Amino acid sequence: MNKDKSIFISAGDISGDIHAANLIKAIKKNSVYKIYAIGGNQLKAIADEFIEDIVNINGFGFLPIKQIFYLKNIFKIVKNCLINNKTDKVILVDYYGFNIHLAKLANSLNIPVYYFVTPQVWASRKYRIKNIAKYVKIAFPILPFEKQMYEQENVKCFFEGNPLIDNVPDVLKNKEKNKNTVIGLFAGSRKSTIKRHLPIILDTVKILKKQNNNMKFVLFTLDKNELNIPDYIEIKDGNNFEERSKPDIALCPSGTVSLENALLGIPMIVMYKLSWINYLIARLIVKVKYITLVNILLNKELIPECIQHKATSKILSHEIINMLEEKKYNSVRNELLKFREQLGPSGVYERVAKRILEDK
């Protein structure tokens, strides 16, 4: 293959950055494309030419209006990159708000666009499918029921499985509970989310410690800086799945982390708190009964959801104690151990890479 051929890839959040980097690794195994990228630390490490970090803009101290101007400037740089390097393929990973404009641009330049980890249009803003249909050549949804939704809008798509299957190791089916209960704590990945969730989590821990002083607590985080955590809470790397498989139960936000915990077979309580204005907007546009992917896929509330006014230390501590009751705990864990089968077989990145490389 001609070494002058190039692929441009764009990811705008932490989980998308991980998926994008793993996809590029799979592409590099079977091709000699030069890779240009915008994203975060993971893409920076694997791309042949890394253009800009757009994952960590929340860490730059930008106000929202400054972020808009920053991304507009990045868009101009990306446009020049696509034109000057005669880009052959553009791959988008999640991050619809920015990436759909990039899809439109690439389409206007007659560059085929491939969307890996498509937006969760089933939850809100279903109209986004129509834009994807206009500008994207092939879409790769990562939840089994999404394929039909895209096909109904005449979007060519393939469900090759959920990439978390490749990232999250399978677990021991006969894992026993720890002698002293270990509770995994997750506040979120974005600074704004951590700021809202962490005080509630710390208050929940205080209540639990009063009820059982032998409980152990581990906070899993991607950013250990500026966190004022009591000594009785251990801090560990949120990407270390060997350590993350050890807790008996987890307290976490909805989203990727809850799906990862489900694949690890860990019963959990899901919490989420927004600013009141964002919560009211979400109530208007979100069309699903549940916010946790496990519950959505199973179509029932297996995992308790404590959202907004229910995300209090009193309610969360009660739900955790209730989940630890032996019969309840074993029932939930057994369902989670079967859950992996719904997300497809391993080798997701390799299958998606093959589709993209073979498409003419």
Side-chain angles (χ1 to χ4, degrees):
M1 188 176 287
N2 190 333
K3 289 187 178 181
D4 292 335
K5 285 184 173 289
S6 66
I7 288 175
F8 186 92
I9 189 164
S10 169
D13 55 34
I14 291 173
S15 61
D17 184 45
I18 293 169
H19 293 319
N22 286 334
L23 180 59
I24 291 305
K25 288 174 187 175
I27 286 172
K28 285 193 166 194
K29 284 180 185 177
N30 300 293
S31 73
V32 287
Y33 279 92
K34 184 171 183 180
I35 307 298
Y36 295 84
I38 55 174
N41 298 335
Q42 301 296 318
L43 273 175
K44 187 174 185 179
I46 192 72
D48 297 300
E49 190 164 321
F50 185 75
I51 294 170
E52 194 70 36
D53 186 334
I54 64 170
V55 168
N56 296 305
I57 56 174
N58 283 329
F60 298 163
F62 288 172
L63 295 171
I65 190 67
K66 286 190 174 182
Q67 288 187 15
I68 292 170
F69 284 110
Y70 173 77
L71 289 173
K72 279 189 173 182
N73 185 54
I74 297 304
F75 191 80
K76 291 177 184 176
I77 296 170
V78 170
K79 183 176 181 179
N80 290 332
C81 176
L82 295 182
I83 294 170
N84 295 338
N85 295 297
K86 298 179 179 179
T87 304
D88 295 278
K89 298 173 187 283
V90 167
I91 301 173
L92 312 175
V93 183
D94 205 354
Y95 204 54
Y96 176 90
F98 179 86
N99 276 338
I100 197 61
H101 295 292
L102 183 50
K104 185 177 180 180
L105 170 64
N107 188 262
S108 72
L109 297 171
N110 294 315
I111 303 170
V113 179
Y114 307 87
Y115 212 135
F116 181 45
V117 189
T118 50
Q120 294 178 352
V121 293
W122 42 268
S124 65
R125 293 167 284 195
K126 194 174 179 180
Y127 64 84
R128 289 178 167 184
I129 293 185
K130 296 189 183 297
N131 285 331
I132 292 171
K134 284 182 189 176
Y135 309 123
V136 174
K137 189 175 184 186
I138 303 178
F140 297 94
I142 62 169
L143 295 173
F145 62 83
E146 292 177 317
K147 185 174 186 290
Q148 185 179 0
M149 295 181 65
Y150 280 95
E151 287 178 337
Q152 285 174 348
E153 296 293 336
N154 297 314
V155 179
K156 185 178 180 180
C157 68
F158 298 94
F159 173 66
E160 298 293 356
N162 191 301
L164 288 181
I165 290 292
D166 289 340
N167 296 343
V168 181
D170 208 347
V171 294
L172 293 173
K173 301 292 189 289
N174 58 351
K175 172 191 167 188
E176 293 184 1
K177 288 173 73 173
N178 293 286
K179 184 177 178 181
N180 293 321
T181 300
V182 178
I183 301 178
L185 309 170
F186 302 81
S189 57
R190 296 182 182 275
K191 287 192 174 181
S192 57
T193 309
I194 294 171
K195 188 176 180 180
R196 284 193 303 272
H197 288 171
L198 192 57
I200 302 169
I201 289 172
L202 296 180
D203 285 344
T204 303
V205 169
K206 287 178 184 176
I207 293 173
L208 291 170
K209 273 185 66 64
K210 285 181 181 177
Q211 294 185 31
N212 184 347
N213 197 42
N214 290 322
M215 282 184 175
K216 295 183 179 180
F217 303 91
V218 182
L219 176 68
F220 292 94
T221 180
L222 302 176
D223 184 6
K224 298 179 183 179
N225 299 322
E226 302 175 13
L227 295 180
N228 187 17
I229 305 299
D231 292 340
Y232 50 78
I233 299 177
E234 195 174 355
I235 302 178
K236 292 190 177 179
D237 179 9
N239 281 331
N240 188 330
F241 287 111
E242 183 180 351
E243 290 297 328
R244 280 186 52 181
S245 68
K246 294 177 181 178
D248 300 294
I249 190 171
L251 173 59
C252 64
S254 60
T256 301
V257 67
S258 69
L259 193 52
E260 290 169 343
N261 286 337
L263 292 174
L264 290 169
I266 299 175
M268 72 196 99
I269 309 301
V270 161
M271 65 173 291
Y272 211 89
K273 191 154 192 172
L274 294 162
S275 66
W276 276 105
I277 185 65
N278 285 339
Y279 175 68
L280 291 173
I281 292 170
R283 285 287 302 270
L284 290 173
I285 65 173
V286 173
K287 306 298 181 186
V288 290
K289 187 176 181 180
Y290 306 112
I291 68 165
T292 306
L293 283 169
V294 175
N295 292 342
I296 291 167
L297 288 169
L298 295 177
N299 196 29
K300 65 178 181 179
E301 191 174 285
L302 178 71
I303 304 301
E305 297 180 347
C306 298
I307 313 303
Q308 206 62 11
H309 62 281
K310 290 185 178 179
T312 67
S313 56
K314 184 177 180 180
I315 292 174
L316 291 169
S317 58
H318 171 78
E319 291 288 357
I320 289 170
I321 294 298
N322 183 50
M323 180 68 79
L324 286 169
E325 189 273 320
E326 188 173 2
K327 187 176 178 181
K328 170 80 170 175
Y329 182 88
N330 290 337
S331 173
V332 172
R333 177 165 163 77
N334 288 336
E335 286 212 50
L336 292 178
L337 291 174
K338 301 173 193 172
F339 180 70
R340 179 178 284 263
E341 299 165 9
Q342 294 203 28
L343 300 184
S346 59
V348 177
Y349 298 112
E350 285 72 16
R351 289 193 294 275
V352 173
K354 189 172 186 287
R355 292 272 189 195
I356 293 172
L357 291 173
E358 290 182 351
D359 184 65
K360 304 298 182 187

